[in-house]
Amino acid sequence: MQIIVHTHWDREWFVTEEYTTYLLSDFFQKLFKLIEKNPNYRFTLDGQTLMIDDHLKTLKNSEKERFTKQLHSVSENLFVGPYYGQIDWRMSEEASIMNLLLGKRRAKELTGAVTDTGWLVDNFGFCSQVPQIHKLFGIDSLFLWRGFDPGNHPCTEAKWHGSDGSEVLLLYLLDSYRNLMRISEYPEVAEQRLEEEVSKLAPCAKTHMIPLLDGYDLDPEPEDPSTLLELKMITPDEYARAVIVNLQSDLHEASGELISGRLVSTFPGTLSTRGYLKLMNWSCEYTLSRVVGPLVAASCSYESTEIIRSCWELLLQNLVHDSICGVGVDQVHEEMEDRYESVLGKCKEVTESSLRSLSAVLPNGYSFFNLNPSPSEVAFGRPGGFFRVTCGPGRIGSLNPRIYPYEVADEDAEGSQWQNEYFTALVEDGRILMRRKDELLELFPQLVRDSGDEYSAELSDTIDLKLESSVVEKRSKVSSEVLLDYTSEVALVQMRLIFSDLPTVLVDFTVDGIGEGYAVLLTLRKSGELICGMPYDRVKRPEFVLYAEPSEQLRPFLVAARETGYCDIFPMKDFAGRCTSKSSAFLLSRGIYSYTTRKFSGNSLDIPEVSLIVSRSVTWLAKEGVDGRIGDAGPTMYTPGAACKRKVEWNLGLYFGSHEEFTRYKLSFLNPPLILFNPCEVDSDGTAFFHGEGLEVTALAVNPSGDGVHLRVFNSLDEPAHLSLSDSWTEVLPDGRELGRFDGTIFPKKIVTLRKDGNLTSEPSVRNTDGVPVSLVYPELGWSIGKDRAYAIPEELEKMRSEAVELRKKAVTADKKASRAKGKGKHHALLDVYRNLRSALEMELSVLQCTEPENKDKILKLFLELNSLRIKRRTVEFLLATLK
């Protein structure tokens, strides 16, 4: 019988990375000793290279060299990578490819070996393009747990088809990634525990391979179960190959995204927790892939590639699922903010350097750099007036913007109207009413109560949101700017709308949090089919999902928190809305990743709604009794920073037009052409690169080797599309391996990477390093996020201290009972000891982090004690389940 021995490394969670990294020194020493003692020992390092790099940061240069040599010498015993970090796959687009690209390269550097199997054991669900992304890196089998629903018939293998048709073998961890954790802890029941687990899982497997896993969250004590039991330790690669060789019957088939929480939670509330982090994440990923990358490629600034790589690493550290999902203590997310600021600062430096070089390439005066393969229409305001520009596809070109002077209006907006060739709009009682071809929509903000925690939203009744003022502030010949201010007991909301001659309304949406326990929604009321964006995809969704109670066959495998009842909160990226044969209405989002279809407004039930969940305000990492979730989600810790008592502005849009034109205007808003101004006199008309309707460019950058440039293109359509290129490009895999000459055809939902040898543009013969640089007129880089005003409430802290004292008393009582008991009764009493002590330590650690974050020695001491208790508690639970 085979077993995978591993650890799941949540590097930032109930403490910061500094404290989890402290565990790694002893961990690696023990791991190397186990390998030295048993040459057949195999260990899986959580599918990521980041935990190795975290440890390397703590070593001196001579120690680093020695440690790396040791890794190389035991490479056959370790499964390292293929990822840089265990990111959230519901949010990341270009970052998901960089995660594999950097992870596989780093694994090769660290061990000399590269893995060919995906290891995704605790990520909170998956977008539909995960199979294709892995296949691009030669990975055709994936271990995963959350998100997959096998129906009522449990299985341990399945075929997963991505939206483009890519197929991977899904190795489903039906009984979790910890079903034999610490099996050596109680040797007297180890054999019984193994036999029962095999008996439970064997009927669900199509081969003799059964997913047995010995590992747990942040477990720093690797063990060798083969010293106790007849078990062969294998790597995930070896397991997957054995399954493939022995498969003889049809498998359960899954297709599209895997986001079900029916059997184990995918925590949809995490996509709107600490919304300011999501805004920073979107801005950094956009800036790296669609601003900095293209500018460096156009300016031939190859010396910047190392800085860009370091920016991607910082971004990926923040994209680790617990981190970007906001399910940690406040100190974790404060450090994330620092990383995002560092990424933005480096991006601005590289941008400025590239712009100086571009002065010899760009036309004089205004010009544009349009990454979109289709023409782009852009409108934006600047102090000089309202700009309207039309930019040709895939090119650098001269620009003669239409600039319309503003006139100050300062008049009541109630009843004011706007009309263009696409729609008419009316401001009425704080709502925007719009009409197109006899179809109506309403746009309005809402506040609703949220009694959830960082993991799960619990949205209920509305909170009164009063319209304070409604003003037409200014207008031009082609635009009108309306400002709506709202007040409430928990948040101030401001909505600035800019109407123009385009089908897209610009919506600057600002939330200033002053209370807690609420969610802010931006609601679109309109009939039609629900469609939303996801990474490299657009998907049709139902209005809600009803999670049926698991069948009797599945009940033995319900070992973790899960969602119940109706699910009407879903992931999204970039847009969500409704489409009919006459019109489409989509909310465009830079940095919001979640929506709900629940109706709070009390409007007519026959008109559906879709609401962006702009921001949520909660104050606990996890708590009991959250509606719609059963089970233990995480530590019960106080997190006042999650209340989001700060001012944050989101740049959103509302498209109301034909479905056929949506892609063009979506790209014009989400990936606008770079509008530049070159004060230098040069003789240049620009350069054309590519064009193709319906296609989306997600990255243009210098190859990491500095040899040429690469272009990443995605076909969002349901039929083949054609990309015309002005030069010869070669189709390659993301890691650079050649596939052959590109013929221009991109099939539906396909992600294609192209390489051009040499420079994107003619390299400037004279680089302008001292003169007046080119300026980036539009868009502005960065975000508008105010200072956090949250603080720990003294009464809450005192209550936690008192509860911790009582819990410790209960633990003492249970310990006395354990000392007198025998057999199963003793273990039940010990479980009570561990449960009470764990809860007490969570509160004590939480209070300490809120009041004395600088007391690192005491925090470390409590963390080590709490982490040990968490493992002991879970181990005793497995023991009692065996002794039943």
Side-chain angles (χ1 to χ4, degrees), residues 84-153:
Y84 178 78
Q86 286 293 355
I87 65 171
D88 191 290
W89 291 81
R90 302 169 299 177
M91 303 185 206
S92 50
E93 194 165 75
E94 181 65 14
S96 65
I97 288 179
M98 294 302 297
N99 188 43
L100 274 160
L101 188 64
L102 295 178
K104 294 199 84 170
R105 284 181 181 170
R106 190 65 179 133
K108 186 70 178 291
E109 292 169 356
L110 290 167
T111 68
V114 180
T115 61
D116 293 320
T117 301
W119 183 256
L120 301 164
V121 299
D122 201 33
N123 313 69
F124 300 159
F126 303 93
C127 69
S128 60
Q129 291 284 29
V130 168
Q132 181 180 184
I133 292 168
H134 281 81
K135 291 293 284 283
L136 290 173
F137 286 89
I139 297 172
D140 58 7
S141 54
L142 306 176
F143 285 80
L144 60 81
W145 183 35
R146 300 183 189 271
F148 175 60
D149 188 342
N152 289 324
H153 303 287

Side-chain angles (χ1 to χ4, degrees), residues 36-47:
E36 182 180 0
K37 191 174 182 181
N38 179 5
N40 294 318
Y41 190 81
R42 299 287 185 271
F43 194 86
T44 295
L45 286 166
D46 198 33

Side-chain angles (χ1 to χ4, degrees), residues 644-657:
C644 296
K645 293 182 179 178
R646 55 170 76 196
K647 188 175 184 179
V648 183
E649 179 182 334
W650 283 267
N651 299 128
L652 310 177
L654 170 62
Y655 172 83
F656 194 20

Side-chain angles (χ1 to χ4, degrees), residues 26-44:
D26 284 346
F27 166 79
F28 278 111
Q29 287 182 34
K30 291 171 182 175
L31 180 60
F32 290 146
K33 285 181 181 178
L34 287 172
I35 296 173
E36 182 180 0
K37 191 174 182 181
N38 179 5
N40 294 318
Y41 190 81
R42 299 287 185 271
F43 194 86
T44 295

